[in-house]
Amino acid sequence: MAAVWLLPVVPLIVASSTGGLLSEALRPHSHTLALVSTAFSFVMLAMGLAFALMLITVYLLRLIIHSVPDPGLVLSAFIVLGPLGQGGFSLLVNGMSISELLPLHVGADFPQAPLAGQMIFAVCFCGAYAFWAIGIAWVVIAVCSIYHVVVLRHNKIAFNLGYWGMLFPNGVFALLIVELSRVLQSPFFKVIGSLWSGKPVVL
């Protein structure tokens, strides 16, 4: 088992975040289409995260039982950041969208709690924050895995396609941090996000 098994489920999570951004663009023109887009995005996000979390659990079990992968695959440990970062970003984007759509633009059958959308967004924020924390833990695991292979086993990591596994996951994890900084208006997350993405920070 390797972390590359996560790659087939990542497109579901990426598409869900795209749907959330599309919902923001549709809102001024049609609240119904925006709500439908957000609803489908949440469905794709739930499916993608369910499979991703199951595979991450299997990968962690593989690390515990069989130690770190071979040098050619050790960089793939960063792939775990992909569904965590993109999933957290999608939660924030879709949660913010649903907070502005509910309960004002649905039928009378929907519970008309004034804070329904805000409560859903609060749950989404808690999930995104949890994914950020889990991502930090996986960064530590990935760095320790590379240290084990290079320093303790005295192996060299040849340049191969495995290096791609460091680009997209770290990019979307930086996107999650930047989005958290925007939601929280937090200088801490702004600095961390700028460092992670290599982008100048404006406090």
Side-chain angles (χ1 to χ4, degrees), residues 47-64:
M47 290 190 296
L49 285 178
F51 284 114
L53 292 175
M54 288 187 281
L55 290 172
I56 290 171
T57 303
V58 175
Y59 182 60
L60 178 61
L61 180 64
R62 179 251 184 273
L63 291 179
I64 293 172

mmCIF file of all heavy atoms in Angstrom, residues 47-64:
data_model
loop_
_atom_site.group_PDB
_atom_site.id
_atom_site.type_symbol
_atom_site.label_atom_id
_atom_site.label_comp_id
_atom_site.label_asym_id
_atom_site.label_seq_id
_atom_site.Cartn_x
_atom_site.Cartn_y
_atom_site.Cartn_z
ATOM 1 N N MET A 47 -18.227 12.199 -0.106
ATOM 2 C CA MET A 47 -17.744 10.954 -0.709
ATOM 3 C C MET A 47 -16.215 10.924 -0.754
ATOM 4 O O MET A 47 -15.581 9.932 -0.383
ATOM 5 C CB MET A 47 -18.319 10.790 -2.120
ATOM 6 C CG MET A 47 -19.800 10.501 -2.150
ATOM 7 S SD MET A 47 -20.398 10.031 -3.800
ATOM 8 C CE MET A 47 -20.095 11.543 -4.720
ATOM 9 N N GLY A 48 -15.624 12.029 -1.223
ATOM 10 C CA GLY A 48 -14.162 12.063 -1.337
ATOM 11 C C GLY A 48 -13.463 11.952 0.000
ATOM 12 O O GLY A 48 -12.495 11.206 0.153
ATOM 13 N N LEU A 49 -13.947 12.695 0.995
ATOM 14 C CA LEU A 49 -13.313 12.652 2.314
ATOM 15 C C LEU A 49 -13.503 11.297 2.988
ATOM 16 O O LEU A 49 -12.609 10.823 3.697
ATOM 17 C CB LEU A 49 -13.869 13.762 3.205
ATOM 18 C CG LEU A 49 -13.382 15.173 2.903
ATOM 19 C CD1 LEU A 49 -14.054 16.178 3.834
ATOM 20 C CD2 LEU A 49 -11.860 15.268 3.040
ATOM 21 N N ALA A 50 -14.652 10.653 2.770
ATOM 22 C CA ALA A 50 -14.879 9.339 3.369
ATOM 23 C C ALA A 50 -13.846 8.343 2.867
ATOM 24 O O ALA A 50 -13.192 7.641 3.655
ATOM 25 C CB ALA A 50 -16.298 8.855 3.044
ATOM 26 N N PHE A 51 -13.655 8.280 1.538
ATOM 27 C CA PHE A 51 -12.663 7.356 0.988
ATOM 28 C C PHE A 51 -11.250 7.765 1.386
ATOM 29 O O PHE A 51 -10.403 6.920 1.685
ATOM 30 C CB PHE A 51 -12.787 7.289 -0.536
ATOM 31 C CG PHE A 51 -13.954 6.487 -1.017
ATOM 32 C CD1 PHE A 51 -15.001 7.090 -1.692
ATOM 33 C CD2 PHE A 51 -14.026 5.123 -0.788
ATOM 34 C CE1 PHE A 51 -16.085 6.354 -2.135
ATOM 35 C CE2 PHE A 51 -15.110 4.367 -1.225
ATOM 36 C CZ PHE A 51 -16.141 4.992 -1.895
ATOM 37 N N ALA A 52 -10.973 9.073 1.371
ATOM 38 C CA ALA A 52 -9.623 9.546 1.700
ATOM 39 C C ALA A 52 -9.250 9.202 3.134
ATOM 40 O O ALA A 52 -8.139 8.719 3.399
ATOM 41 C CB ALA A 52 -9.533 11.054 1.476
ATOM 42 N N LEU A 53 -10.153 9.421 4.075
ATOM 43 C CA LEU A 53 -9.848 9.136 5.473
ATOM 44 C C LEU A 53 -9.660 7.639 5.703
ATOM 45 O O LEU A 53 -8.819 7.224 6.511
ATOM 46 C CB LEU A 53 -10.947 9.692 6.376
ATOM 47 C CG LEU A 53 -11.031 11.222 6.424
ATOM 48 C CD1 LEU A 53 -12.223 11.672 7.253
ATOM 49 C CD2 LEU A 53 -9.741 11.817 6.985
ATOM 50 N N MET A 54 -10.433 6.808 4.988
ATOM 51 C CA MET A 54 -10.233 5.358 5.103
ATOM 52 C C MET A 54 -8.860 4.957 4.572
ATOM 53 O O MET A 54 -8.149 4.148 5.195
ATOM 54 C CB MET A 54 -11.337 4.616 4.359
ATOM 55 C CG MET A 54 -12.691 4.671 5.052
ATOM 56 S SD MET A 54 -13.951 3.631 4.273
ATOM 57 C CE MET A 54 -14.412 4.660 2.879
ATOM 58 N N LEU A 55 -8.461 5.518 3.432
ATOM 59 C CA LEU A 55 -7.163 5.177 2.859
ATOM 60 C C LEU A 55 -6.012 5.712 3.706
ATOM 61 O O LEU A 55 -4.964 5.068 3.821
ATOM 62 C CB LEU A 55 -7.070 5.715 1.425
ATOM 63 C CG LEU A 55 -7.954 5.004 0.402
ATOM 64 C CD1 LEU A 55 -7.930 5.746 -0.932
ATOM 65 C CD2 LEU A 55 -7.487 3.567 0.211
ATOM 66 N N ILE A 56 -6.189 6.892 4.299
ATOM 67 C CA ILE A 56 -5.147 7.432 5.180
ATOM 68 C C ILE A 56 -4.962 6.526 6.390
ATOM 69 O O ILE A 56 -3.839 6.288 6.848
ATOM 70 C CB ILE A 56 -5.508 8.869 5.607
ATOM 71 C CG1 ILE A 56 -5.389 9.817 4.415
ATOM 72 C CG2 ILE A 56 -4.603 9.342 6.742
ATOM 73 C CD1 ILE A 56 -5.922 11.213 4.685
ATOM 74 N N THR A 57 -6.061 5.982 6.902
ATOM 75 C CA THR A 57 -5.969 5.052 8.029
ATOM 76 C C THR A 57 -5.194 3.799 7.636
ATOM 77 O O THR A 57 -4.340 3.314 8.392
ATOM 78 C CB THR A 57 -7.380 4.668 8.513
ATOM 79 O OG1 THR A 57 -8.092 5.850 8.852
ATOM 80 C CG2 THR A 57 -7.308 3.760 9.727
ATOM 81 N N VAL A 58 -5.480 3.265 6.433
ATOM 82 C CA VAL A 58 -4.749 2.083 5.958
ATOM 83 C C VAL A 58 -3.270 2.414 5.777
ATOM 84 O O VAL A 58 -2.391 1.608 6.113
ATOM 85 C CB VAL A 58 -5.368 1.565 4.647
ATOM 86 C CG1 VAL A 58 -4.552 0.415 4.082
ATOM 87 C CG2 VAL A 58 -6.804 1.125 4.873
ATOM 88 N N TYR A 59 -2.975 3.602 5.255
ATOM 89 C CA TYR A 59 -1.572 3.984 5.052
ATOM 90 C C TYR A 59 -0.843 4.126 6.386
ATOM 91 O O TYR A 59 0.313 3.718 6.513
ATOM 92 C CB TYR A 59 -1.516 5.296 4.269
ATOM 93 C CG TYR A 59 -0.109 5.750 3.968
ATOM 94 C CD1 TYR A 59 0.751 4.961 3.213
ATOM 95 C CD2 TYR A 59 0.377 6.968 4.445
ATOM 96 C CE1 TYR A 59 2.036 5.372 2.932
ATOM 97 C CE2 TYR A 59 1.662 7.382 4.167
ATOM 98 C CZ TYR A 59 2.487 6.583 3.412
ATOM 99 O OH TYR A 59 3.764 6.977 3.140
ATOM 100 N N LEU A 60 -1.510 4.690 7.382
ATOM 101 C CA LEU A 60 -0.895 4.784 8.706
ATOM 102 C C LEU A 60 -0.621 3.394 9.268
ATOM 103 O O LEU A 60 0.444 3.149 9.858
ATOM 104 C CB LEU A 60 -1.803 5.574 9.653
ATOM 105 C CG LEU A 60 -1.304 5.724 11.095
ATOM 106 C CD1 LEU A 60 0.034 6.473 11.132
ATOM 107 C CD2 LEU A 60 -2.338 6.441 11.947
ATOM 108 N N LEU A 61 -1.560 2.467 9.081
ATOM 109 C CA LEU A 61 -1.345 1.088 9.527
ATOM 110 C C LEU A 61 -0.158 0.468 8.804
ATOM 111 O O LEU A 61 0.647 -0.249 9.409
ATOM 112 C CB LEU A 61 -2.610 0.260 9.282
ATOM 113 C CG LEU A 61 -2.546 -1.216 9.696
ATOM 114 C CD1 LEU A 61 -2.362 -1.335 11.205
ATOM 115 C CD2 LEU A 61 -3.803 -1.947 9.243
ATOM 116 N N ARG A 62 -0.032 0.768 7.513
ATOM 117 C CA ARG A 62 1.110 0.250 6.744
ATOM 118 C C ARG A 62 2.434 0.784 7.290
ATOM 119 O O ARG A 62 3.426 0.054 7.384
ATOM 120 C CB ARG A 62 0.938 0.644 5.277
ATOM 121 C CG ARG A 62 2.076 0.177 4.368
ATOM 122 C CD ARG A 62 2.926 1.360 3.915
ATOM 123 N NE ARG A 62 3.944 0.949 2.973
ATOM 124 C CZ ARG A 62 5.142 0.497 3.313
ATOM 125 N NH1 ARG A 62 5.464 0.386 4.575
ATOM 126 N NH2 ARG A 62 6.030 0.151 2.402
ATOM 127 N N LEU A 63 2.470 2.066 7.675
ATOM 128 C CA LEU A 63 3.687 2.642 8.255
ATOM 129 C C LEU A 63 4.013 1.999 9.600
ATOM 130 O O LEU A 63 5.189 1.757 9.911
ATOM 131 C CB LEU A 63 3.516 4.154 8.429
ATOM 132 C CG LEU A 63 3.454 4.999 7.159
ATOM 133 C CD1 LEU A 63 3.261 6.471 7.517
ATOM 134 C CD2 LEU A 63 4.692 4.823 6.311
ATOM 135 N N ILE A 64 2.995 1.714 10.396
ATOM 136 C CA ILE A 64 3.230 1.119 11.710
ATOM 137 C C ILE A 64 3.759 -0.306 11.579
ATOM 138 O O ILE A 64 4.700 -0.699 12.278
ATOM 139 C CB ILE A 64 1.928 1.142 12.536
ATOM 140 C CG1 ILE A 64 1.545 2.587 12.864
ATOM 141 C CG2 ILE A 64 2.081 0.327 13.822
ATOM 142 C CD1 ILE A 64 0.181 2.730 13.506
#
